[in-house]
Amino acid sequence: MTLPDTAANPAGADRTFQVDLRGLVDLLSHHLYSSPRVYLRELLQNAVDALTARHGLEPDAPTGAFGIRLYADGSAVRVEDDGVGLTEADVHTFLATIGRSSKRAERIAEQRGDFIGQFGIGLLSCFLVADEIHVLSRSARTPGAPAVEWRGRGDGSYTVRTLPASARPRPGTTVTLTPRADAGEWTRPAQVHALARHFGSLLRHPVTFDDGTGGPGTPVNPEPAPWARTYPTPGSRFRALAAYGEEVFGFTPLDTIELDLPAVGLKGIACVLPEAVPAGRRHGHRVHVKGMLLSEQAEEILPDWAFFVRCVVDAESLRPTASREALYEDDTLAAVREALAEKLRAWIARAAASDPDLLGRFLRTHHLAVKSLAVHDDEILRMLLPWLPFETTDGHTTLDEFARTHRTVLVTSSVEEFRQVAAIASAAGLGVVNGGYTYDRELVHRLPEIRPEVSVADLDPATLTAHLDPVDRETELAAAAYLARARDALAVFDCDVALRTFQPASAPALLIDSREARHERTRSQLAREQEGGLWGDILGALRQEAPRAQLILNQLNPLVRTAVTIDEPELARTSAEALYGQAALLSRRPLRPAESSLINRSFLDLLAHALRKDS
């Protein structure tokens, strides 16, 4: 709300904000700004906008004619600019009215896109570190305009005075803060310099810092952004951008991708991370708007799948939120996100076409990110699916190499199923891919789109058992009594027992049991337990013929050949339980409590039998 005009309030008289200023500052500190350090960013931002307006008034002024000077000596912080300045009327309109900004004034509304700030509350952030703000300004719009002094205090009062032009010989504005005792962390000279570098290193106007020791001012932004400089060769440009990425992010990039979107005035780089990151973990990106640092954690600038890069960009047309610490989600940001995603796709395509060594290093590190992209991007799928690494019965290899050996590719639905069958399938000459990892099964099933000569099918137990050789009739008859006892011992697990021969001979037994089969058996068990009730009727209606697990004993294994000759019933039962437990352990699936108990019991029983025999 605006206060009464100057006629009712003579010069020098105290005037009062018609808001609870302390409450407003508390709101800013706890709910809008992430840290008191933003006060310096807001002061720099106001100065930059004032310089932008000054250049609009004097477009022929030479580059660097107007600048910003910072001063901090421990007792005061001062920001001085050569910008457009304020008249006394401007001071009453914009400094004494909460929520209005000079950038909103009609005379420059059409130029709003040239300014950083658009919310008019930036000056209040200074109350986060100071109890008094002193503003001395002289307008460049009015020749011979007097200087105007404004003092705002944390108790909600302010004064305005008109001073002789000599009080500020040149147009522009000087803002001086008297820090509170508890704000030393943010207002010490070294900290002010560091904050100025942090927020303003890419500003397009010259900024200097003076710590009051009498030396010359130190440039805060001595060079333009690295992508705005001229380099003698493309190689030197690449090295300079990579070095900048390493300086900003603290790691040596696997590669550096230059970003340039002229439509929105965006330039910058994307640094490819040299190490893999967990799926879905999004890194924040460093985003500048018109040179001013907006955020170091702007996740929204790239799509979710692009977690293999970190970006630093400077944009002209992106809108900041009210806190100016994040980006406003609008159509422009959505378009920028998609355009940057296309830049990353193009980089992958170039690496695939012209730099196989780089592509290989990238895929070894970030194959999960590329798989997540390939699932939704047909172009990336066609380009990179043959080169992506998968876990197979031939080891970790690419689908392209795997398909040269196996025209029929079988894929498991889980990691545990793959581990159950890998050794036996490999010995049988079957080509099986572990489809249990994120995206893998879906991608392997799309291989025929790229390699039409290859067929892909899900692995089921019947396919594997068909490749296990039966034993001769005499051997099976001799083992019949043992197999019957083994089936009786394992009936509690809905497990059948069969005798076959397969490689490797070192494997005594193979447990074939899918997750779906276990779920179906659990449901059947619940139906039996709940028989007669409503829940039992529901489960019974869903019940199918419960599939059974299969423990396949390997006749080629010496231990099995000995076990099937056991005549003693209890020992035969215990040995079958031990073989089941060992096969369950080798499958690496989670054990049920009954299975853990069986493994312990069978081990102790066999140990006890061995001790009795020795004694």
Side-chain angles (χ1 to χ4, degrees):
M1 184 179 295
T2 309
L3 298 184
D5 59 26
T6 55
N9 293 274
D14 280 357
R15 308 162 188 265
T16 304
F17 289 103
Q18 297 184 25
V19 294
D20 180 354
L21 186 59
R22 291 191 182 278
L24 181 58
V25 171
D26 181 72
L27 179 67
L28 295 181
S29 64
H30 288 93
H31 300 286
L32 186 63
Y33 295 127
S34 61
S35 164
R37 69 177 185 167
V38 299
Y39 82 92
L40 191 68
R41 184 196 65 195
E42 298 292 345
L43 290 178
L44 282 173
Q45 181 171 282
N46 287 343
V48 170
D49 286 344
L51 291 176
T52 302
R54 179 75 181 272
H55 278 288
L57 283 178
E58 304 176 38
D60 296 330
T63 302
F66 309 132
I68 302 170
R69 294 164 294 282
L70 305 179
Y71 175 91
D73 63 0
S75 62
V77 176
R78 187 167 67 242
V79 179
E80 180 179 337
D81 68 68
D82 300 318
V84 70
L86 299 170
T87 64
E88 183 179 0
D90 290 335
V91 167
H92 287 294
T93 302
F94 302 122
L95 297 188
T97 306
I98 304 302
R100 184 182 296 175
S101 168
S102 60
K103 277 84 75 180
R104 296 181 183 272
E106 292 183 2
R107 62 178 176 266
I108 59 172
E110 70 278 3
Q111 301 174 0
R112 179 183 291 179
D114 295 333
F115 297 91
I116 302 171
Q118 297 185 26
F119 299 93
I121 57 175
L123 194 62
L124 291 182
S125 67
C126 296
F127 284 120
L128 299 176
V129 298
D131 282 330
E132 181 173 291
I133 305 171
H134 176 250
V135 177
L136 182 63
S137 188
R138 181 180 173 190
S139 176
R141 298 182 184 279
T142 306
V148 182
E149 178 191 66
W150 179 90
R151 289 184 184 272
R153 290 174 286 275
D155 62 6
S157 64
Y158 73 97
T159 60
V160 177
R161 290 196 303 162
T162 300
L163 303 177
S166 59
R168 181 175 172 94
R170 300 174 60 189
T173 299
T174 301
V175 180
T176 304
L177 309 181
T178 303
R180 293 197 308 270
D182 61 354
E185 177 183 359
W186 308 109
T187 56
R188 292 192 304 268
Q191 181 69 291
V192 172
H193 187 206
L195 291 176
R197 288 279 301 162
H198 180 72
F199 290 117
S201 62
L202 299 187
L203 289 175
R204 291 85 183 265
H205 304 285
V207 183
T208 59
F209 172 77
D210 182 357
D211 62 3
T213 58
T218 304
V220 169
N221 53 344
E223 295 183 295
W227 46 81
R229 303 172 201 166
T230 301
Y231 300 91
T233 65
S236 60
R237 180 180 183 85
F238 174 82
R239 288 189 293 274
L241 293 179
Y244 180 72
E246 184 171 0
E247 176 188 347
V248 170
F249 295 124
F251 61 82
T252 302
L254 187 66
D255 197 21
T256 305
I257 308 164
E258 190 161 0
L259 306 174
D260 187 6
L261 303 179
V264 292
L266 183 146
K267 290 181 178 292
I269 57 173
C271 297
V272 182
L273 292 163
E275 297 179 350
V277 294
R281 176 181 172 185
R282 300 184 67 185
H283 282 291
H285 306 287
R286 192 178 178 94
V287 175
H288 299 250
V289 174
K290 300 177 180 69
M292 181 70 71
L293 178 64
L294 179 79
S295 174
E296 296 176 277
Q297 299 297 325
E299 297 180 353
E300 60 273 23
I301 196 75
L302 286 180
D304 291 348
W305 56 259
F307 52 81
F308 57 88
V309 297
R310 294 194 69 183
C311 294
V312 52
V313 299
D314 185 19
E316 294 286 337
S317 302
L318 295 178
R319 292 174 57 196
T321 59
S323 67
R324 289 185 282 276
E325 295 182 335
L327 293 171
Y328 186 81
E329 188 68 48
D330 58 9
D331 291 343
T332 300
L333 179 58
V336 166
R337 185 162 49 236
E338 181 53 40
L340 292 179
E342 187 56 38
K343 293 284 186 183
L344 299 183
R345 292 189 188 98
W347 173 80
I348 294 173
R350 286 195 303 272
S354 60
D355 197 338
D357 178 62
L358 173 61
L359 180 67
R361 287 185 285 121
F362 170 66
L363 291 180
R364 284 192 295 273
T365 305
H366 297 294
H367 56 89
L368 186 58
V370 178
K371 286 178 179 179
S372 70
L373 175 57
V375 166
H376 304 102
D377 191 308
D378 290 345
E379 182 180 350
I380 294 296
L381 177 80
R382 289 190 298 270
M383 187 188 314
L384 293 182
L385 180 58
W387 310 105
L388 288 171
F390 289 82
E391 185 179 7
T392 75
T393 46
D394 290 353
H396 281 83
T397 185
T398 65
L399 285 185
D400 194 57
E401 292 178 355
F402 194 65
R404 293 175 191 170
T405 308
H406 306 281
R407 292 304 187 193
T408 298
V409 175
L410 302 173
V411 58
T412 65
S413 60
S414 69
V415 173
E416 63 189 45
E417 288 173 8
F418 177 81
R419 289 171 176 167
Q420 286 179 44
V421 306
I424 287 82
S426 178
L430 295 176
V432 182
V433 179
N434 186 349
Y437 295 115
T438 307
Y439 311 117
D440 283 14
R441 184 166 175 263
E442 182 177 355
L443 289 172
V444 174
H445 272 286
R446 297 189 67 178
L447 181 60
E449 298 176 28
I450 316 301
R451 298 284 185 267
E453 70 278 10
V454 176
S455 62
V456 176
D458 286 326
L459 176 70
D460 78 29
T463 304
L464 183 60
T465 54
H467 284 77
L468 305 181
D469 295 327
V471 297
D472 60 71
R473 185 172 180 78
E474 289 183 4
T475 302
E476 188 161 9
L477 286 173
Y482 179 85
L483 295 177
R485 293 186 180 108
R487 292 185 186 108
D488 181 64
L490 301 179
V492 67
F493 299 114
D494 288 314
C495 183
D496 196 8
V497 183
L499 187 64
R500 298 286 188 273
T501 62
F502 54 86
Q503 295 293 339
S506 59
L510 168 66
L511 180 62
I512 299 179
D513 190 17
S514 68
R515 180 183 302 174
E516 291 76 12
R518 292 196 299 277
H519 287 174
E520 180 59 35
R521 290 198 300 275
T522 300
R523 186 166 57 191
S524 298
Q525 178 65 29
L526 282 173
R528 288 193 295 270
E529 293 173 357
Q530 299 288 336
E531 190 171 355
L534 176 61
W535 183 237
D537 292 342
I538 294 172
L539 290 174
L542 295 174
R543 183 170 58 201
Q544 305 169 1
E545 183 64 30
R548 306 193 74 192
Q550 269 196 313
L551 179 67
I552 302 177
L553 305 180
N554 187 2
Q555 176 65 19
L556 298 180
N557 183 267
L559 178 62
V560 171
R561 287 202 301 270
T562 301
V564 297
T565 65
I566 297 174
D567 293 327
E568 184 181 340
E570 284 305 314
L571 181 58
R573 182 184 183 92
T574 300
S575 66
E577 290 175 340
L579 287 168
Y580 176 89
Q582 191 256 3
L585 287 172
L586 288 177
S587 72
R588 300 185 188 180
R589 65 168 170 79
L591 296 178
R592 289 173 285 178
E595 290 173 329
S596 298
S597 176
L598 173 139
I599 291 171
N600 292 332
R601 186 179 68 251
S602 62
F603 171 77
L604 293 175
D605 288 349
L606 287 174
L607 181 59
H609 176 82
L611 292 175
R612 285 197 304 270
K613 184 177 179 182
D614 289 343
S615 63

